Amino acid sequence: MKTKELFLLGFKSLKFLSLRKKIFLVIQIVIMLLILIPFGFYSVFSNAAETIINNQYEFREISLYGTSNDYEKYKSVLNEYENNHIVYIDELATPNIRAYTSVDSRNNFILKRKIEGFVPEVTNGNELNNKYDIICPEMATDVNFEELNYNDLINLEEKIGKTINLNFLNSDDELVFSQEFNIVGTYNADFYYSYNTCYILNNTFDEILSKNNSDLKEDSDTVKDLFILYVDSNENVEEITNYLENNDIMVSVPKLDDKIVNYILLLSIFIMIILVITSIIILINYFKNYYKEEYYNIALYKALGFKEKDIIKIIFIENILLIFVALIVSIVLFIFLKIIVTLYLHQFVAFRIAEIRLSIIPLFIYYLIIILLNYVFLKIDINEISSMSIKRIGEL
Amino acid sequence: MKMEDIVKTYISKNGNQVKALNNINYNFKKGKFYAIMGQSGSGKTTLINILGLVDVPTRGKYFFNGLEVQKLSNDKLSEIRNNEIGFVFQHFYLNNRLTALENVLLPTLINKKHTKEEIIEKAKKLFNNLGLESRMNHYPNELSGGEQQRVSLIRALINEPSVILADEPTGNLDYNNELEILKLLKEVSKEKCVIVVSHNPNIKKYADIVLNLDKGVLNEN
């Protein structure tokens, strides 16, 4: 019997489904959707983790802690470090400067130095050139982003070429001085988890620091950031850290807490295993009893002279077509769900990079398992199919 | 179709042996219309199953076109059934998912005697001969009982078998349709061996030979 004819017979059978087959179809759609969801949502977290690790320069910074008395020792150790993995050393400085748009408000922008490899790519406008040039996020805020809705961000891309007045306060929250900056360019802050970070030239940064009078040398007993090292890659952070620790220097390296990502992965795998076992039980039950519902058709095929292998092929194709329908429907439903959830998540700045992925491979592996079970049970039950159909022909 | 000392026994649910057919000896020939009459439980269905190569006798020999059936493989029996035997059932048994034409073409899917075009041409001719040319593309639930049985008969004839086996073919039909079907079977029996199992006494008017099956024993009237 030709394959084309088998498939045509199979398609015809899909037009008229019994209640049992309809229930089975719905169960398979639900199971396949449940397979897609953990893989799809796991990718949100792994995607975020990967982005943070690879893009966020904070994880290539090493802070050296000590009192003022440790300064000379640390300086000497750093001078003896021979490899060229340190891009920049920030001495006796806070890594950030807080700049307030309003003296009365507690909301602030964070100003950072322009360090090669540590400044995001300018997507609109120009790079820093002049003393009071500033690069800002395309969509920006001076509010803490964890509480922020994306719709509340201000579009600074429109303000390229315009100025922004920033105020600098002392530790008593008193205004020390104000400075006007020219917004020369903007960058996409979605991947940096910080919509209030702006960049200025190194010299300008030092100048503002000195005006703010943040010389830490005088306070000799307080443990503070004596140096901040900017490392060229994540791979070299460990090497430098080991070198410093071997020289009795206190270091601090921001690390991504990947525990939550691993927990989600383990949970996903656990759910998968439960789903697959449940599904296999359902499938075994379905395939074992399939022929009981189909015995009239089987008896008819036998009476018409179809061989057992032809009958197996017909039933096999009917089943895999039925489950293929479930596969397509589950993928369509998942895409629909993905669109809705992504639209919802992207309102929140913390989930701007969220991407729910459609993982076809686990679904097709599951489909292959079904095909295998289908075939195995047909082969096992063929004798019973045969004898039952003989009996049923008589009843026809 | 030659039966020699055919016995068929079953084991009932309480473990007793039931003899459905008891030493049947008969030779069915081409060009004859045989009517097998008998009460319920007389073994008619068992006899049809054995004649149709769907079941095998417990003892005895059955020869189909000179071949001893018990020595043939399942695949060979299927092949013979497809090529040489056409079944007509009491309840028509058409596949509701297929049109009348598709139902008729079903046995041809595994038959390589003719090309697809030849088969369709032959099927259309048979539909015309039986007055169903306008019903070819209708589904079984859109056909009357008589029409369904005629479609079933066309399906039985499509592969040009030498034998037609009909188990109560008029059981679900009204009087007019019943006569129609019996006439058709009579027409067909000129070139084939037609064996009809029935309670219906009207069949005796059409049959060349009437056989009686009583408690598994076959006798010619």
Side-chain angles (χ1 to χ4, degrees), chain A residues 132-234:
Chain A
Y132 293 115
D133 285 350
I134 191 168
I135 291 172
C136 299
E138 281 168 6
M139 298 298 291
T141 180
D142 54 359
V143 173
N144 184 343
F145 84 90
E146 285 167 356
E147 300 149 1
L148 196 59
N149 191 304
Y150 192 75
N151 295 329
D152 296 334
L153 297 176
I154 306 159
N155 188 345
L156 286 186
E157 192 183 331
E158 294 170 344
K159 296 193 192 294
I160 292 175
K162 297 204 167 104
T163 58
I164 182 171
N165 194 51
L166 297 175
N167 302 295
F168 299 91
L169 312 182
N170 62 21
S171 51
D172 295 323
D173 291 336
E174 292 164 341
L175 177 67
V176 177
F177 69 99
S178 297
Q179 178 63 53
E180 219 169 56
F181 287 85
N182 302 313
I183 302 174
V184 297
T186 58
Y187 69 96
N188 185 339
D190 286 350
F191 288 85
Y192 293 91
Y193 289 93
S194 171
Y195 291 87
N196 64 344
T197 301
C198 302
Y199 297 86
I200 57 178
L201 288 170
N202 258 335
N203 291 339
T204 317
F205 190 92
D206 286 334
E207 181 190 300
I208 292 169
L209 269 186
S210 64
K211 274 188 186 175
N212 249 14
N213 198 24
S214 59
D215 184 355
L216 302 173
K217 270 190 190 166
E218 292 169 11
D219 191 349
S220 61
D221 293 330
T222 309
V223 174
K224 32 194 147 284
D225 259 348
L226 286 184
F227 295 94
I228 294 178
L229 312 182
Y230 295 85
V231 184
D232 58 0
S233 71
N234 282 313

Side-chain angles (χ1 to χ4, degrees), chain A residues 72-82 243-244 247 249:
Chain A
E72 293 301 329
K73 176 195 164 187
Y74 286 14
K75 184 90 182 175
S76 164
V77 167
L78 285 171
N79 287 339
E80 283 167 20
Y81 178 69
E82 288 173 354
Y243 169 75
L244 294 170
N247 282 285
I249 293 178

Side-chain angles (χ1 to χ4, degrees), chain B residues 76-140:
Chain B
K76 185 66 184 170
L77 292 175
S78 295
E79 199 184 310
I80 294 173
R81 239 181 354 263
N82 183 253
N83 283 304
E84 301 294 343
I85 301 173
F87 280 92
V88 180
F89 304 104
Q90 179 179 354
H91 298 287
F92 329 129
Y93 204 60
L94 300 174
N95 189 323
N96 284 324
R97 301 161 186 169
L98 306 174
T99 62
L101 180 61
E102 286 165 347
N103 265 290
V104 162
L105 296 177
L106 204 50
T108 65
L109 293 179
I110 46 167
N111 192 300
K112 309 292 177 201
K113 271 196 284 199
H114 300 285
T115 63
K116 196 174 177 184
E117 291 73 28
E118 284 169 354
I119 297 278
I120 292 173
E121 201 50 49
K122 193 166 36 148
K124 285 181 179 173
K125 202 173 165 186
L126 285 167
F127 270 96
N128 279 342
N129 290 347
L130 268 67
L132 291 172
E133 58 272 18
S134 61
R135 310 297 272 162
M136 276 194 299
N137 294 318
H138 284 78
Y139 286 92

Side-chain angles (χ1 to χ4, degrees), chain B residues 43-100:
Chain B
K44 300 194 297 298
T45 302
T46 306
L47 181 60
I48 282 275
N49 280 352
I50 289 174
L51 286 170
L53 308 179
V54 173
D55 201 357
V56 290
T58 313
R59 273 201 328 265
K61 289 182 184 177
Y62 173 39
F63 295 88
F64 189 97
N65 281 351
L67 297 169
E68 191 180 339
V69 158
Q70 282 94 315
K71 290 182 179 171
L72 300 175
S73 64
N74 278 335
D75 281 357
K76 185 66 184 170
L77 292 175
S78 295
E79 199 184 310
I80 294 173
R81 239 181 354 263
N82 183 253
N83 283 304
E84 301 294 343
I85 301 173
F87 280 92
V88 180
F89 304 104
Q90 179 179 354
H91 298 287
F92 329 129
Y93 204 60
L94 300 174
N95 189 323
N96 284 324
R97 301 161 186 169
L98 306 174
T99 62

Side-chain angles (χ1 to χ4, degrees), chain A residues 85-99:
Chain A
H85 298 312
I86 298 174
V87 172
Y88 187 83
I89 298 174
D90 206 350
E91 283 191 33
L92 300 173
T94 55
N96 307 317
I97 298 174
R98 294 180 188 277

Side-chain angles (χ1 to χ4, degrees), chain A residues 165-354:
Chain A
N165 194 51
L166 297 175
N167 302 295
F168 299 91
L169 312 182
N170 62 21
S171 51
D172 295 323
D173 291 336
E174 292 164 341
L175 177 67
V176 177
F177 69 99
S178 297
Q179 178 63 53
E180 219 169 56
F181 287 85
N182 302 313
I183 302 174
V184 297
T186 58
Y187 69 96
N188 185 339
D190 286 350
F191 288 85
Y192 293 91
Y193 289 93
S194 171
Y195 291 87
N196 64 344
T197 301
C198 302
Y199 297 86
I200 57 178
L201 288 170
N202 258 335
N203 291 339
T204 317
F205 190 92
D206 286 334
E207 181 190 300
I208 292 169
L209 269 186
S210 64
K211 274 188 186 175
N212 249 14
N213 198 24
S214 59
D215 184 355
L216 302 173
K217 270 190 190 166
E218 292 169 11
D219 191 349
S220 61
D221 293 330
T222 309
V223 174
K224 32 194 147 284
D225 259 348
L226 286 184
F227 295 94
I228 294 178
L229 312 182
Y230 295 85
V231 184
D232 58 0
S233 71
N234 282 313
E235 287 76 32
N236 293 323
V237 167
E238 193 179 340
E239 184 234 316
I240 297 169
T241 307
N242 290 340
Y243 169 75
L244 294 170
E245 284 176 342
N246 288 340
N247 282 285
D248 298 320
I249 293 178
M250 271 199 300
V251 299
S252 170
V253 181
K255 271 187 192 166
L256 173 70
D257 186 0
D258 58 359
K259 275 197 205 107
I260 189 165
V261 174
N262 289 333
Y263 286 146
I264 290 166
L265 175 63
L266 281 171
L267 186 63
S268 300
I269 292 170
F270 182 68
I271 293 170
M272 273 309 95
I273 292 170
I274 300 287
L275 266 179
V276 170
I277 291 171
T278 309
S279 181
I280 287 175
I281 293 170
I282 293 170
L283 287 167
I284 289 172
N285 178 269
Y286 176 80
F287 289 133
K288 271 190 85 59
N289 294 299
Y290 176 87
Y291 64 84
K292 288 178 187 168
E293 194 179 88
E294 292 293 315
Y295 59 70
Y296 270 125
N297 274 335
I298 294 168
L300 174 66
Y301 291 134
K302 205 159 171 74
L304 296 178
F306 283 67
K307 294 176 187 158
E308 277 166 5
K309 66 177 184 193
D310 295 322
I311 297 172
I312 287 177
K313 277 185 202 171
I314 292 169
I315 299 171
F316 181 73
I317 296 282
E318 278 179 8
N319 278 333
I320 64 170
L321 280 174
L322 182 68
I323 293 162
F324 187 73
V325 167
L327 190 104
I328 299 298
V329 171
S330 66
I331 289 175
V332 167
L333 284 175
F334 180 80
I335 291 171
F336 187 65
L337 183 71
K338 173 184 146 133
I339 291 169
I340 292 174
V341 172
T342 305
L343 279 172
Y344 176 73
L345 284 180
H346 279 195
Q347 288 176 84
F348 305 102
V349 298
F351 289 99
R352 287 296 297 174
I353 62 161

